[in-house]
């Protein structure tokens, strides 16, 4: 890629359940101040958002997060983070449109919260995705293979553990997504 002189931009989606670390990942890797739509959680979220495992969470994404990362001066990745709560899923089709790949961020303490995000990308086979297990408190509650089995994730889908707060760790997730996306066989074009 270096020296080709042409600029390429890609759209990457960061998805996952409520409080999994999507906004944190976008913020840690973005070279610009990330654009977020964080709103203070109110009593209206009571009964909708389970804060048991994340009692210190006081804000939530209500539309999307946006960040940018330039690689080798020729590749620009635009990062779009989805909201995690079911009441905002109606936006996902618009956010995902045109994406070359997606990262599903998972909090291993709350596996059930990521089922819908994984199902979304399983149904939408045109967008390759990887699973990124966010290490809360520096650890995972289960092994990668236990999580793969619990979530019924195909062996071909990469699963990586990372810390959403660390730029280098988040960058490794994006690198793995790009490698996976580029290694997949190209879909045959429909003629007609």
């Amino acid at each position: 890629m270096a020296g080709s002189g042409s600029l390429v931009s890609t759209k990457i989606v960061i998805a996952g359940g409520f409080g999994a670390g999507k906004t944190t990942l976008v913020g840690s890797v973005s070279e610009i101040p990330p654009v977020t739509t964080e709103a203070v959680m109110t009593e209206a979220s009571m009964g909708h958002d389970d804060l048991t495992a994340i009692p210190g969470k006081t804000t939530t994404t209500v539309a999307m997060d946006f960040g940018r990362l330039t690689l080798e001066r020729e590749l620009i990745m635009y990062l779009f983070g989805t909201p995690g709560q079911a009441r905002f899923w109606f936006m996902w089709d618009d956010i995902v449109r045109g994406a070359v790949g997606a990262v599903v961020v998972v909090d291993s303490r709350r596996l059930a919260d990521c089922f819908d995000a994984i199902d979304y990308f399983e149904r939408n086979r045109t967008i390759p995705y990887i699973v990124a297990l966010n290490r809360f408190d520096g650890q995972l509650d289960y092994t990668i293979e236990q999580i793969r089995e619990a979530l019924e994730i195909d062996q071909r889908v990469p699963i990586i553990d990372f810390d959403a707060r660390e730029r280098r760790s988040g960058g490794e997730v994006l690198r793995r997504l790009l490698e996976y996306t580029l290694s997949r066989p190209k879909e045959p074009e429909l003629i007609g």
Side-chain angles (χ1 to χ4, degrees), residues 63-178:
M64 69 175 189
D65 299 315
F66 174 79
R68 183 185 75 204
L69 181 61
T70 303
L71 302 176
E72 299 182 26
R73 292 186 298 184
E74 296 166 352
L75 174 62
I76 298 175
M77 292 192 308
Y78 293 104
L79 310 171
F80 290 81
T82 64
Q85 298 97 318
R87 64 185 178 274
F88 298 121
W89 288 342
F90 67 91
M91 295 183 234
W92 279 38
D93 288 339
D94 290 329
I95 293 171
V96 169
R97 188 171 292 117
V100 298
V103 174
V104 177
V105 179
V106 173
D107 177 351
S108 68
R109 302 169 301 179
R110 300 175 296 125
L111 292 179
D113 290 355
C114 71
F115 284 134
D116 292 316
I118 289 172
D119 285 346
Y120 181 90
F121 292 104
E122 280 293 314
R123 285 191 316 270
N124 187 349
R125 296 266 183 192
T126 59
I127 301 172
Y129 76 96
I130 68 169
V131 174
L133 307 173
N134 195 1
R135 286 187 303 247
F136 285 88
D137 301 322
Q139 63 184 10
L140 294 177
D141 288 357
Y142 304 97
T143 68
I144 287 176
E145 285 312 311
Q146 287 172 322
I147 292 171
R148 183 182 297 282
E149 184 177 332
L151 299 178
E152 298 180 356
I153 298 171
D154 188 290
Q155 288 293 327
R156 293 172 289 195
V157 175
I159 299 178
I160 183 173
D161 66 302
F162 82 116
D163 185 330
R165 300 167 298 180
E166 296 178 5
R167 180 178 178 86
R168 185 172 298 205
S169 189
E172 179 64 16
V173 168
L174 297 175
R175 185 187 67 74
R176 288 285 300 274
L177 173 64
L178 289 177

